[in-house]
């Protein structure tokens, strides 16, 4: 097992706000991000700059939807940590290079009671500015979580994580790894309304 399964952060570097009517508002511009994901079979670490937007829509007084969409490019390192994915050659299944990547994340909130989160990420580690070994890989990550506030800042979450890695290197050929996990977690909630702001 790993000490941390993932560490992901993103923020708006340069942007502008916008709104449509009284119920939708958002920001768009240039985002910076850092992602580290290690689902026990592989690791991926990426620093990137992306163009995108984050918005919030109050569907009704008790229901809000928050969303982010990003498309950009970064420098990414990825490789297997599963001994079974390396063959008798002793070669390491590891790549780094310029990586186009994208993110779509949605959160649906009901009052201050519960929230449903869905997110999908994809990274393509290319041969551009890569190591001498060559190769490339494509990594897809899907997250789905339902969180229920028990009392105050205390909640419980049911979460699904889906991971897929398809890689190629001249030494090892094609390598494909898949992993799906389901877990129940105690959640410390940091904001009222699960991060939504008032109308």
């Amino acid at each position: 097992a790993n000490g941390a399964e993932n560490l992901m952060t993103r923020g708006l570097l340069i942007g502008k706000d916008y709104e449509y009517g009284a119920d939708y508002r958002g920001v768009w511009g240039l985002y910076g991000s850092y992602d580290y994901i290690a689902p026990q079979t592989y690791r991926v670490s990426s620093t990137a700059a992306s163009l995108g937007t984050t918005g919030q829509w109050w569907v009704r007084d008790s229901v809000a939807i928050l969303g982010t969409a990003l498309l950009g490019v970064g420098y990414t390192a990825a490789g297997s940590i599963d001994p079974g994915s390396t063959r008798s050659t002793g070669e390491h299944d590891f790549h780094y290079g310029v990586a186009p990547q994208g993110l779509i994340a949605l959160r649906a909130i009901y009052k201050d009671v519960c929230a449903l989160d869905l997110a999908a990420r994809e990274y393509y580690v290319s041969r551009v500015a890569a190591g001498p070994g060559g190769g490339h890989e494509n990594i897809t990550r899907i997250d789905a979580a339902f969180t229920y506030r028990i009392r105050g800042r205390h909640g419980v979450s049911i979460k699904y994580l889906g991971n897929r890695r398809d890689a190629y290197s001249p030494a090892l050929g094609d390598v494909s790894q898949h992993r799906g996990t389901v877990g129940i977690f105690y959640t410390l909630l940091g904001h009222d309304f699960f991060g939504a702001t008032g109308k």
Side-chain angles (χ1 to χ4, degrees):
N2 303 300
E5 198 274 344
N6 66 76
L7 173 63
M8 293 177 280
T9 183
R10 63 181 181 267
L12 183 65
L13 303 176
I14 302 171
K16 184 176 178 60
D17 62 332
Y18 63 93
E19 62 182 48
Y20 293 107
D23 298 324
Y24 183 89
R25 62 180 62 126
V27 294
W28 71 273
L30 179 67
Y31 288 71
S33 65
Y34 173 76
D35 294 343
Y36 172 79
I37 302 172
Q40 299 185 12
T41 51
Y42 66 85
R43 292 190 183 103
V44 57
S45 176
S46 179
T47 302
S50 304
L51 293 175
T53 183
T54 299
Q56 174 182 278
W57 176 34
W58 281 98
V59 181
R60 58 184 66 177
D61 289 343
S62 58
V63 178
I65 296 177
L66 284 68
T68 295
L70 302 178
L71 186 62
V73 65
Y75 200 76
T76 300
S80 175
I81 56 176
D82 180 6
S85 67
T86 58
R87 300 174 187 170
S88 58
T89 60
E91 296 285 346
H92 293 288
D93 182 16
F94 181 81
H95 304 96
Y96 59 87
V98 174
Q101 53 194 266
L103 161 71
I104 296 177
L106 292 172
R107 171 177 289 175
I109 301 166
Y110 175 68
K111 294 183 176 178
D112 198 21
V113 176
C114 59
L116 176 65
D117 288 272
L118 301 171
R121 295 172 171 83
E122 187 167 9
Y123 313 84
Y124 179 78
V125 186
S126 72
R127 296 184 178 93
V128 178
H136 58 83
E137 54 187 275
N138 193 79
I139 293 173
T140 304
R141 161 90 163 201
I142 297 173
D143 299 60
F146 177 77
T147 302
Y148 180 79
R149 186 186 300 274
I150 298 173
R151 183 176 181 181
R153 296 179 62 188
H154 306 287
V156 63
S157 298
I158 300 173
K159 190 168 188 176
Y160 169 78
L161 301 176
N163 297 278
R164 180 185 177 98
R165 173 178 177 262
D166 295 299
Y168 170 80
S169 66
L172 299 173
D174 293 315
V175 175
S176 184
Q177 295 173 302
H178 314 269
R179 185 176 182 87
T181 59
V182 177
I184 300 176
F185 304 90
Y186 163 76
T187 304
L188 180 64
L189 301 171
H191 300 283
D192 292 337
F193 302 107
F194 295 90
T197 60
K199 285 189 176 183

